[in-house]
Amino acid sequence: MFRVPFLVAIALVIAFGGGIWSTRVALDATVGFGAIKLGPWEAFPEAQTEKADPYAKSHRANAGRILYASAEGLSFTAQTDDSGQRLTGNCTYRLTGQTPTARFWTLFATAPNGLPPSANADLPVALNSRAVLRRPDGSLDISISQRARAGNWLAVSGAGPFRLTLTLLDTPAAGSSGLIDLAMPGIQRIGCGNV
Amino acid sequence: MFRRLLGNFFWLKILFAILTGLVGAALLHLVIVISLPQFSQRDAYTRILAEGENQRFYRLSEKPDRAGLLKDDPMVEMTVCAFDISEAPVRLTAPNGGVPFWSLGVYDSSSNEVFSINDRTSADGVVDVVVGTPAQLTVLRKSLPRGFAQTVLVETQQTEGYAALRSLTTHKSFGPLVSQFLDQATCAPFQWRSRSQF
């Protein structure tokens, strides 16, 4: 007797539940299409423009962040090391190599969905291109660890997973995606626990 | 005949209902994704409007403020300003106080980039940008007041939008300089008629 309302209810529950759930998942999972992927690093040079895809526009309307415009810079994020394993605070990592051409860059780590670290923290939770030591050939060698390391050290708080953000300021990489050969520094895991 | 056949297969009907639901879910997904930017109350422009009155810069801090805005980078200080140029163009200025880097992004109300500039691409490293509609800027260019030779004129069809000025604190000793630079930034309606008369 209640077969038809029952069938209608099934269809409606799946339509609304599935539609809203899938949208939330899609908007949380990615900033949109059109990413530049360089090893573990990912950036969205067109996310702030009119040319951004509907997912990117929807994501930025929901996240409410002020994105870098093309003359300002380009933000790369990495959630994994070079081998594809998630970055966690238990392990020690080494970031080596060159960044793409940029006038400045900044590097810091955040917990997933966490606030960026405070600039007034006692530990070096954020580095920039003027404040790091370089090898004779100008390349980088930065240790990323909870415990203090010699040389360039980026402090990570907490043992949980984290995300690295490397922001290039005033970089040609922001304007012409794909036209120039970009290379980002590699992230190698040195070891976990007490190393 | 067909109905009776279907009635005998109640599970088939449930499968059909599930399929209908999935198609509906896909449609709803697309509708939400495409229409979200129009009705979102959490986008950057709405949040900057919630900071307070238009046409003035608000510094962002490390913790989300009451409008829910925060600076994304511990080393990059930023200040934001919402403007409405339907009446008059807006002029964005800041003196060059010797900060290592600054950049200015101008966006429309749907957060699309309209214009961006940094200290190397500006004249003399001074922030001096006028944002206006094409009609306003045509009038302005006809009688350009003195001292506007280095002003960057930006045309946009969108009358509402916001600007974000960032500066980099490479070392803590630059902090006061960067703060002073950002606090001196102005975002004011540009009244050129009164000035161009003399």
Side-chain angles (χ1 to χ4, degrees):
Chain A
M1 185 180 164
F2 288 111
R3 276 182 180 183
V4 173
F6 174 66
L7 291 172
V8 171
I10 287 184
L12 284 179
V13 164
I14 292 179
F16 279 89
I20 292 168
W21 172 81
S22 64
T23 313
R24 289 189 69 125
V25 168
L27 293 185
D28 281 347
T30 175
V31 178
F33 301 103
I36 312 182
K37 285 201 172 118
L38 299 163
W41 299 99
E42 195 178 45
F44 297 87
E46 290 192 336
Q48 85 287 3
T49 62
E50 181 75 57
K51 288 182 278 180
D53 60 272
Y55 280 90
K57 284 186 175 172
S58 204
H59 178 90
R60 81 183 177 205
N62 200 34
R65 292 172 56 219
I66 298 158
L67 302 170
Y68 284 95
S70 48
E72 302 196 272
L74 183 63
S75 236
F76 282 86
T77 57
Q79 306 213 2
T80 64
D81 61 10
D82 281 348
S83 63
Q85 282 178 302
R86 275 200 75 96
L87 300 170
T88 77
N90 277 328
C91 301
T92 299
Y93 300 91
R94 248 177 95 192
L95 189 136
T96 51
Q98 302 271 8
T99 63
T101 314
R103 198 131 62 85
F104 295 98
W105 53 255
T106 66
L107 174 72
F108 62 94
T110 41
N113 306 318
L115 294 179
S118 166
N120 295 319
D122 296 329
L123 300 178
V125 289
L127 298 176
N128 67 60
S129 52
R130 285 233 180 136
V132 295
L133 304 167
R134 288 162 194 271
R135 287 183 188 153
D137 64 349
S139 65
L140 299 169
D141 189 349
I142 298 171
S143 297
I144 301 162
S145 169
Q146 268 188 297
R147 288 160 175 262
R149 308 280 297 186
N152 298 311
W153 171 44
L154 181 73
V156 177
S157 57
F162 66 90
R163 194 179 60 208
L164 285 175
T165 305
L166 179 62
T167 306
L168 306 171
L169 295 170
D170 191 8
T171 173
S176 50
S177 58
L179 284 177
I180 32 181
D181 198 20
L182 297 174
M184 288 293 285
I187 309 168
Q188 291 95 31
R189 196 169 79 178
I190 296 177
C192 296
N194 291 314
V195 251
Chain B
M1 169 74 190
F2 184 65
R3 272 179 69 113
R4 214 175 60 195
L5 196 68
L6 216 62
N8 292 338
F9 295 98
F10 182 61
W11 291 109
L12 203 66
K13 275 187 165 180
I14 289 185
L15 190 72
F16 183 67
I18 291 174
L19 279 178
T20 314
L22 286 177
V23 171
L27 278 175
L28 193 65
H29 176 89
L30 289 178
V31 167
I32 295 176
V33 164
I34 290 169
S35 63
L36 187 66
Q38 273 88 51
F39 62 76
S40 174
Q41 292 299 305
R42 303 173 60 187
D43 65 309
Y45 180 63
T46 314
R47 288 184 183 188
I48 294 172
L49 285 182
E51 289 276 355
E53 52 187 307
N54 260 5
Q55 321 267 45
R56 57 159 290 196
F57 272 111
Y58 292 92
R59 281 289 291 279
L60 302 187
S61 59
E62 289 173 340
K63 297 270 178 293
D65 54 16
R66 60 202 159 84
L69 285 169
L70 73 164
K71 64 194 185 83
D72 290 331
D73 192 314
M75 295 200 154
V76 180
E77 299 291 323
M78 65 186 293
T79 183
V80 294
C81 159
F83 56 78
D84 183 349
I85 54 168
S86 50
E87 304 276 315
V90 66
R91 187 175 187 195
L92 309 163
T93 61
N96 182 4
V99 293
F101 173 83
W102 62 256
S103 68
L104 175 77
V106 179
Y107 309 81
D108 66 14
S109 55
S110 34
S111 292
N112 291 315
E113 178 186 341
V114 173
F115 175 74
S116 61
I117 190 171
N118 61 46
D119 53 344
R120 286 274 172 90
T121 50
S122 69
D124 286 349
V126 175
V127 184
D128 192 356
V129 174
V130 170
V131 184
T133 61
Q136 289 166 347
L137 293 188
T138 309
V139 178
L140 178 65
R141 278 198 198 94
K142 242 191 268 176
S143 58
L144 204 64
R146 222 180 292 169
F148 278 76
Q150 296 189 327
T151 307
V152 181
L153 304 178
V154 179
E155 285 189 1
T156 173
Q157 303 282 356
Q158 309 287 331
T159 55
E160 291 178 341
Y162 62 92
L165 180 65
R166 301 178 210 246
S167 185
L168 177 68
T169 317
T170 49
H171 296 89
K172 274 189 183 158
S173 52
F174 275 112
L177 203 64
V178 167
S179 278
Q180 193 192 9
F181 169 75
L182 293 181
D183 290 341
Q184 284 179 348
T186 63
C187 168
F190 179 57
Q191 304 295 344
W192 75 90
R193 282 193 193 85
S194 57
R195 286 185 198 172
S196 62
Q197 274 165 0
F198 44 84

